[in-house]
Amino acid sequence: MERMVPEISFGHRTRVALDIGCGVASWGAYLMSRNVIPLSIAPKDVHENQIQFALERGVPAMVAVLATHRLLYPSQAFDIIHCSRCRIEWTRDGGILLTEVDRILRSGGYFAWAAQPVYKHEGHLPEEWQAMLNLTDRLCWNLVAKEHYIAIWQKPIDDACYKERAPGTEPPICDANNDPDDVWNVPMSTCIVAPLDEWQTNVSHWPARLHIPPRRLSSLKTGVKEAKPEVFTAEERYMKEIVNGYLDGLGLNLNDIRNVMDMNAGYGGFAAAVVDSGVDWWVLNVVPVNSMNTLPIIYDRGLIGVVHNWCESFNTYPRTYDLLHAWGLFALQNHSCDAASIILEMDRILRPGGTVLIHDSVDSIRELEPIAKAIRWKTDIKETDSGPYGKDKLLLCKKTLWFA
């Protein structure tokens, strides 16, 4: 693919990738060796075993059904989206599934389709190929390469093509009140997200983008104080100190850890610190639905993540994560659901022998430790930088194997 389109430049211009219909995630696994962070998804419920295989290989993956609701990723998220023999009818229902891909694809990003209609000329396949060409043309995508069984389109970098479309062209441009970053239980819509603002679409190349405050900070729906670049930088510096403390002072066996989840990710400072530390981990950043939606910032940094409600189950196979990091999560939930339910969900997705790091208020830690002990986690309460009389503590837990 990079030979076909050198501008893709994996690990430099292209950092964040989505693999739809991932199989056992071989495409993503290969890209990780090239400084690309992939997210592999199974688009149908019956494919959840693929996610288990992918996570067993240490490749980021989750179930993400392409059906009636938006995927749980923000607009302008992925630098490249790949679909190889994924058996998705992109042109059905007015192209609603491909417009959803268009929403999460970064302007100037690439969509790679490897499927029979690209290279076979028998039966109904030529009609499917022509329908795909018609739809992508109306989406203003440019077919930049077609070779053997792969076709690669590029999304426009500005609004010029949209303005030149004939009146009444389908799919239409989305209404101004259609928030492209609102994703929790939001139905898909057959419309194109525009206009494409420069501060949304232009990000630095990897690895510089990891530490540059994204211009999308100004779009966050929150108070001015939280959205300032200084707060972004302060979180990054603080989390770097915290992660260094974890690595140096907790006795973690680094070789036993690969799949990591940050359950209340903020701006992604924990994941950025993990990247800087050089450990061979990857981090899935989770932004709770009842917190500020920082997920666009996380993707602009070249990291991956998802929105989730921790009062519900997470879309992953049991026993698939080696380390769970929960910073301020339980104080944030504020009893919106039972703490024991969240702990049990953490136990479900945590591998036996896995580690849980809960940094929270003293009151939350006092409530959580008995629950952790009840499910036979080994627990240890650690002091934080606030000291023995501070307002927060660190609960270090280890999941044990149960024996009859």
Side-chain angles (χ1 to χ4, degrees):
M1 292 171 58
E2 194 172 37
R3 180 186 56 77
M4 293 168 62
V5 185
E7 292 78 12
I8 289 178
S9 186
F10 287 116
H12 184 57
R13 184 188 184 279
T14 297
R15 162 64 182 176
V16 188
L18 180 69
D19 190 11
I20 300 176
C22 59
V24 294
S26 295
W27 189 76
Y30 177 72
L31 285 180
M32 294 191 84
S33 66
R34 306 188 67 173
N35 278 330
V36 174
I37 183 71
L39 182 57
S40 300
I41 64 173
K44 298 181 180 179
D45 286 329
V46 295
H47 293 159
E48 71 271 7
N49 59 322
Q50 297 178 352
I51 299 308
Q52 182 190 25
F53 292 144
L55 289 164
E56 287 291 335
R57 300 182 71 183
V59 180
M62 64 181 295
V63 177
V65 179
L66 268 170
T68 59
H69 286 73
R70 283 178 173 177
L71 297 176
L72 301 178
Y73 319 117
S75 66
Q76 304 285 341
F78 296 97
D79 304 314
I80 188 167
I81 297 177
H82 172 253
C83 167
S84 178
R85 299 184 297 275
C86 55
R87 298 181 182 179
I88 294 176
E89 298 179 38
W90 293 114
T91 57
R92 72 171 177 85
D93 298 330
I96 190 170
L97 300 183
L98 203 61
T99 56
E100 174 63 4
V101 168
D102 181 78
R103 181 185 69 84
I104 62 178
L105 181 62
R106 191 173 297 280
S107 298
Y110 298 91
F111 176 75
W113 191 39
Q116 287 187 353
V118 177
Y119 66 96
K120 281 193 174 183
H121 305 282
E122 56 187 48
H124 62 282
L125 296 177
E127 296 178 4
E128 291 185 17
W129 171 247
Q130 189 58 50
M132 188 69 168
L133 286 179
N134 293 339
L135 177 57
T136 53
D137 184 63
R138 297 196 305 273
L139 288 172
C140 287
W141 289 7
N142 179 32
L143 181 62
V144 293
K146 180 176 178 289
E147 188 174 321
H148 303 302
Y149 58 91
I150 300 176
I152 302 176
W153 286 267
Q154 185 177 27
K155 182 178 176 178
I157 60 173
D158 55 38
D159 294 336
C161 175
Y162 303 137
K163 295 176 180 178
E164 295 172 358
R165 298 195 318 162
T169 300
E170 298 289 339
I173 303 299
C174 294
D175 294 335
N177 60 358
N178 187 323
D179 183 357
D181 297 325
D182 186 13
V183 297
W184 187 254
N185 288 332
V186 175
M188 286 185 189
S189 56
T190 309
C191 65
I192 301 171
V193 175
L196 303 177
D197 296 314
E198 182 181 0
W199 52 265
Q200 281 184 310
T201 58
N202 290 342
V203 295
S204 302
H205 291 172
W206 183 263
R209 64 192 280 188
L210 182 64
H211 301 296
I212 297 175
R215 284 181 281 184
R216 274 208 274 190
L217 274 172
S218 61
S219 71
L220 294 185
K221 295 179 179 179
T222 182
V224 175
K225 180 179 178 181
E226 288 85 352
K228 284 185 177 180
E230 303 92 278
V231 179
F232 171 94
T233 303
E235 182 200 88
E236 179 179 63
R237 290 175 179 171
Y238 185 56
M239 291 309 301
K240 189 168 186 176
E241 294 178 3
I242 294 298
V243 169
N244 288 338
Y246 290 161
L247 298 178
D248 296 337
L250 295 183
L252 301 175
N253 188 339
L254 304 186
N255 293 327
D256 288 344
I257 299 172
R258 171 66 174 174
N259 304 349
V260 179
M261 179 185 291
D262 191 5
M263 300 175 66
N264 184 21
Y267 292 122
F270 174 81
V274 167
V275 172
D276 287 338
S277 71
V279 294
D280 194 19
W281 306 351
W282 61 266
V283 180
L284 182 67
N285 296 279
V286 181
V287 175
V289 293
N290 56 340
S291 69
M292 179 172 58
N293 184 10
T294 55
L295 203 55
I297 308 305
I298 288 169
Y299 276 92
D300 284 357
R301 300 186 72 176
L303 305 169
I304 57 172
V306 64
V307 170
H308 183 62
N309 182 351
W310 281 114
C311 296
E312 301 182 12
S313 297
F314 190 82
N315 288 346
T316 191
Y317 209 84
R319 302 176 297 280
T320 47
Y321 282 85
D322 306 307
L323 187 148
L324 303 178
H325 180 247
W327 185 290
L329 175 67
F330 292 90
L332 173 69
Q333 293 299 123
N334 194 25
H335 299 289
S336 57
C337 54
D338 186 20
S341 298
I342 301 177
I343 292 291
L344 287 171
E345 176 62 5
M346 294 168 71
D347 183 75
R348 184 186 73 85
I349 66 180
L350 185 66
R351 197 181 305 279
T355 301
V356 175
L357 302 174
I358 302 176
H359 189 136
D360 222 302
S361 67
V362 172
D363 290 341
S364 294
I365 297 300
R366 286 174 179 167
E367 177 186 3
L368 296 172
E369 188 186 25
I371 301 172
K373 287 183 175 180
I375 57 174
R376 302 187 187 179
W377 286 0
K378 291 182 179 179
T379 65
D380 186 12
I381 296 179
K382 303 284 189 180
E383 303 292 346
T384 66
D385 55 359
S386 64
Y389 303 105
K391 296 181 179 180
D392 57 349
K393 300 288 184 184
L394 174 67
L395 179 60
L396 170 63
C397 305
K398 198 82 170 178
K399 181 176 178 178
T400 61
L401 281 169
W402 290 26
F403 297 96

